[in-house]
Amino acid sequence: MTRKFDFLVIGSGIAGISFALKACRYGKVALLSKSSLDNSNTAYAQGGIAAVTYSPDSFEKHIADTLNAGDGHCDLAAVEKVIKEAPEQIDELLSWGIDFDRDEKGKFDLHKEGGHSEFRILHHKDNTGFEIQQALIRKLRSEKNIEVFENYFAIEILTQHHLGEVVTMHTPNIECYGAYVLNQETNHIHTFLSKVTLLATGGIGSVYATTTNPDVATGDGIAMVHRARGVISDMEFVQFHPTALYHPGERPTFLITEAIRGYGAVLRTQDGREFMHKYDERGSLAPRDIVARAIDNEMKTRGHDYVFLDVTHKDAKETKKHFPNIYKKCLELGVDITKDYIPVSPTQHYLCGGIAVDLNARSSINRLYAAGECSCTGLHGANRLASNSLIEAIVYADAAVKDAVKYIGTYTWNELIPDWDDEGTKLPEEMVLITQSFREVEQIMSTYVGIVRSNLRLKRAMSRLEILFKETEDLFDRSVVSRELCELRNVISVAYLIIKHALRRKESRGLHYTVDYPKRMNRGEYRE
Ligand code: FAD
Ligand code: SIN
């Protein structure tokens, strides 16, 4: 039941796989994915990956755009790190066989998205993430020092708590020794002991009723660290993408990339009027928080469920060439984007907060690193600049390897960790209640903790969630563990953290907008 590795990687998106590909030069790696390897947010990325490539772009401009989108809440050191290290990491991706579009002269064909002052998005048509995910998996399969565990679900990270010690958030030197992991084919729970563990568990979209994220996005890493008493930051900053395709019932919601607005598409109300200039001089290309709030306002004041995105004025051949998947998807639903307006509405898309890490991707728990969407590096601040997350994931995964190899020689496996104890547990009588509780969490979060918030809504969400929390913890204590039950626990923890951090922030900033405190405070005025 016990497996031992130098590095344990939990997650098979860009953060997890790129870490594994580098760490395997220094030791044996186990890489876990709770689903198939290619089921990740990474595989869904459309627009591309932001990096400074050619003049007139510059590090200074990319840094300024990131800070501006982040609304005064970014960590400058993290911003400088990601943007300055991006070109080197892009070269690494190219060396792994990832193909970005180029023009006839062989220069990269760069796209532009909201909040970017220059064309700087490297992309592979309109399905960049799929191209990256496939190339990473090909490379992963060729590495002998990496053992891949598909359909293995990490339940808990192991700490002194599992040795019977009392661990609180004030315990100095909490240490991570690996994880308890459920093999979903055999239902056995294995102990994976590691010298170093990386959490790369991705997003939290499943906490909301509509999201662009696939169903694996249940915030497991964040919930595990929260239960292990590690530090979680900035959870109130949930990003809603302004332009998800309006097609009720489809999950995940299909994204209409922001790059299409960089290409010239404009937002219109249902009566065909442009409205974004009422809200921001950058119009349809303002940063995401501003555009999503503007659309939300237009929809609410008019009683509409969607607005339109119009790209009909652009050359039809060029549109099909740049956005072939969006063209195909919309056509299947009867919308020819070269002739018809596209119905769109804002949808949960990304989380800026997560497991707090330093510039070396170290979490507050020793021997535990985090990278990618589950982490909070300080790069995005209160609102992520489009296409800054894939690059953040690979830069911080690289930082984690570089830091971990300095210390790994001093770590040993903690062989005192006991096997998972499931004595006295039985199968839950009514599985249907787990599904029902899941739906309730999504409804609570979408109704009360969306784009526009208030104290009343947040408090109501919290009291509804408390009931679900008590019921679920009780069920967990007496039940045989299943992935469904663990994911329910995790989405409840994530929802709790979002509400708690939102209630704490007595101002509006970036993605957190509350009618009770509509203004942004000055730095000195804000107290947590
Ligand atoms: P993911 O790619 O989500 O991978 C997480 C992995 O963790 C999955 O393999 C999952 O199975 C595994 N996992 C989770 N929990 C467990 C567990 N308990 N046990 C075992 N395994 C587990 N960003 C950009 O920069 N540019 C874009 O153009 C862009 N477009 C996007 C479009 C869409 C539709 C979406 C959804 C996101 C987009 N993003 C984009 C955001 C970006 O894709 C993600 O932030 C990024 O890919 C996250 O990578 P990751 O490695 O952190 O996590
Ligand atoms: C998009 O293509 O619009 C998504 C880009 C991102 O989320 O960074």
Side-chain angles (χ1 to χ4, degrees):
M1 294 291 231
T2 300
R3 315 283 311 251
K4 290 189 221 159
F5 293 89
D6 296 303
F7 301 92
L8 173 62
V9 181
I10 306 179
S12 62
I14 187 170
I17 300 186
S18 68
F19 176 95
L21 291 176
K22 293 173 183 173
C24 72
R25 298 171 199 152
Y26 305 94
K28 206 153 173 38
V29 180
L31 182 130
L32 313 182
S33 183
K34 69 174 171 181
S35 177
S36 57
L37 275 182
D38 59 355
N39 192 0
S40 66
N41 278 7
T42 299
Y44 281 72
Q46 284 189 0
I49 183 160
V52 173
T53 312
Y54 308 120
S55 161
D57 199 6
S58 64
F59 289 147
E60 289 71 28
K61 287 183 186 172
H62 192 181
I63 289 169
D65 293 345
T66 302
L67 294 174
N68 190 22
D71 204 10
H73 193 65
C74 299
D75 178 334
L76 180 60
V79 175
E80 289 184 340
K81 174 184 176 67
V82 172
I83 287 164
K84 292 184 178 168
E85 291 181 19
E88 192 189 322
Q89 294 306 319
I90 295 291
D91 286 345
E92 186 103 50
L93 288 178
L94 293 169
S95 77
W96 290 342
I98 287 155
D99 181 25
F100 294 119
D101 290 358
R102 295 175 189 262
D103 65 17
E104 320 72 61
K105 295 196 182 115
K107 282 181 81 178
F108 288 117
D109 169 49
L110 302 174
H111 274 171
K112 190 175 187 181
E113 292 179 297
H116 288 272
S117 57
E118 292 291 347
F119 284 79
R120 65 167 72 98
I121 319 288
L122 294 141
H123 64 99
H124 179 91
K125 307 210 168 3
D126 54 356
N127 63 352
T128 310
F130 184 79
E131 165 70 14
I132 292 177
Q133 185 78 47
Q134 293 305 316
L136 290 175
I137 292 174
R138 278 195 299 277
K139 180 86 182 135
L140 182 72
R141 297 279 189 208
S142 71
E143 292 294 348
K144 291 205 176 50
N145 231 8
I146 305 177
E147 200 170 334
V148 174
F149 296 86
E150 274 181 284
N151 299 308
Y152 275 67
F153 181 91
I155 302 169
E156 287 306 358
I157 53 164
L158 303 168
T159 67
Q160 292 97 319
H161 167 77
H162 299 94
L163 299 169
E165 293 177 27
V166 176
V167 176
T168 70
M169 56 190 292
H170 304 295
T171 305
N173 301 323
I174 307 175
E175 290 213 313
C176 176
Y177 308 122
Y180 284 132
V181 179
L182 171 70
N183 175 344
Q184 296 170 77
E185 272 149 37
T186 62
N187 280 330
H188 281 131
I189 296 175
H190 302 260
T191 307
F192 275 66
L193 294 181
S194 59
K195 295 178 180 168
V196 161
T197 301
L198 174 83
L199 286 172
T201 50
I204 57 113
S206 297
V207 171
Y208 284 86
T210 63
T211 176
T212 61
N213 297 185
D215 62 0
V216 290
T218 49
D220 299 346
I222 296 170
M224 286 191 266
V225 170
H226 173 61
R227 284 195 291 272
R229 308 288 186 257
V231 178
I232 308 291
S233 304
D234 289 0
M235 295 292 285
E236 66 273 44
F237 300 119
V238 177
Q239 187 165 64
F240 289 76
H241 197 291
T243 60
L245 181 65
Y246 178 74
H247 183 222
E250 183 169 15
R251 195 181 172 100
T253 311
F254 185 79
L255 187 72
I256 307 293
T257 176
E258 202 158 301
I260 208 162
R261 278 179 279 137
Y263 167 76
V266 289
L267 286 158
R268 298 184 186 281
T269 48
Q270 286 190 18
D271 56 8
R273 283 178 214 200
E274 274 192 57
F275 58 89
M276 268 314 299
H277 282 100
K278 278 196 302 193
Y279 297 90
D280 193 286
E281 63 189 12
R282 289 162 289 187
S284 293
L285 264 187
R288 260 180 211 176
D289 54 338
I290 296 169
V291 181
R293 244 184 337 265
I295 296 176
D296 187 65
N297 189 44
E298 292 293 328
M299 283 172 23
K300 282 193 179 132
T301 45
R302 289 161 194 271
H304 291 167
D305 291 335
Y306 56 86
V307 295
F308 281 127
L309 188 61
D310 169 17
V311 69
T312 57
H313 51 287
K314 300 291 288 187
D315 179 75
K317 218 168 124 208
E318 279 296 302
T319 301
K320 287 190 220 170
K321 184 178 134 202
H322 283 275
F323 306 104
N325 293 296
I326 292 176
Y327 174 74
K328 185 165 163 273
K329 170 77 184 176
C330 291
L331 203 57
E332 280 165 15
L333 301 176
V335 178
D336 178 345
I337 67 169
T338 64
K339 297 187 188 119
D340 308 318
Y341 293 171
I342 312 167
V344 292
S345 63
T347 297
Q348 193 287 335
H349 180 62
Y350 184 83
L351 175 70
C352 295
I355 303 158
V357 294
D358 67 11
L359 291 171
N360 295 313
R362 284 167 166 243
S363 76
S364 62
I365 297 179
N366 291 338
R367 296 164 58 166
L368 182 70
Y369 294 78
E373 191 165 341
C374 70
S375 69
C376 178
T377 64
L379 170 71
H380 310 306
N383 173 47
R384 176 177 65 102
L385 184 68
S387 289
N388 260 0
S389 51
L390 292 169
I391 196 66
E392 178 198 44
I394 186 168
V395 166
Y396 271 82
D398 181 73
V401 176
K402 286 182 177 142
D403 194 68
V405 299
K406 285 194 240 158
Y407 304 101
I408 197 157
T410 64
Y411 302 144
T412 50
W413 292 297
N414 192 325
E415 318 243 12
L416 299 174
I417 293 287
D419 285 345
W420 177 265
D421 179 9
D422 57 2
E423 215 182 286
T425 59
K426 9 182 236 207
L427 286 172
E429 319 79 79
E430 294 200 64
M431 276 300 281
V432 69
L433 291 185
I434 296 176
T435 318
Q436 187 52 34
S437 298
F438 219 111
R439 296 290 91 84
E440 283 181 45
V441 177
E442 292 168 7
Q443 287 310 325
I444 292 169
M445 294 304 284
S446 290
T447 310
Y448 302 118
V449 198
I451 295 173
V452 175
R453 300 166 180 176
S454 72
N455 284 337
L456 195 61
R457 290 177 214 184
L458 293 173
K459 283 182 187 154
R460 182 171 286 196
M462 191 61 111
S463 62
R464 303 284 193 275
L465 199 67
E466 268 163 20
I467 300 169
L468 288 168
F469 173 74
K470 286 195 191 108
E471 287 171 356
T472 306
E473 287 304 302
D474 179 49
L475 190 63
F476 185 79
D477 286 343
R478 54 193 167 79
S479 301
V480 172
V481 162
S482 66
R483 171 172 160 188
E484 293 76 11
L485 183 52
C486 291
E487 287 184 333
L488 173 62
R489 273 186 106 201
N490 293 342
V491 294
I492 290 173
S493 294
V494 169
Y496 162 79
L497 288 164
I498 295 171
I499 301 167
K500 183 175 155 198
H501 291 196
L503 276 167
R504 212 161 59 182
R505 184 165 289 280
K506 307 235 177 301
E507 63 163 353
S508 291
R509 182 185 291 274
L511 295 159
H512 175 70
Y513 181 81
T514 162
V515 293
D516 291 308
Y517 311 101
K519 296 232 167 64
R520 198 178 92 163
M521 282 189 183
N522 292 324
R523 275 243 162 255
E525 289 171 322
Y526 182 72
R527 296 271 176 282
E528 281 198 347

